[in-house]
Amino acid sequence: MTTFQKDTLDALFAELEISYGQTAEYDQLLRDAHFGIALSDAGREFDGQVDQRVALLINKHRDGE
């Protein structure tokens, strides 16, 4: 199981802000990102528990892209 490192988290949150920071749903996406990352780091499934856009970002950055 791979846990997120600071540089990976920084990249994920930067991409989230660039893509959705000016939208009304940004706060919810941010909460989903924190929750999804915690689930991912704990080795738990997060797909279906967070917004799909957030799940895609978590998968992308967790896999080191």
Side-chain angles (χ1 to χ4, degrees), residues 18-29:
I18 289 166
S19 297
Y20 305 106
Q22 301 301 316
T23 66
E25 47 198 356
Y26 177 67
D27 286 340
Q28 182 60 49
L29 294 173

Side-chain angles (χ1 to χ4, degrees), residues 44-52 55-56 59:
R44 307 247 334 259
E45 183 59 43
F46 57 88
D47 253 343
Q49 297 192 56
V50 298
D51 187 283
Q52 187 60 33
L56 289 171
N59 283 324

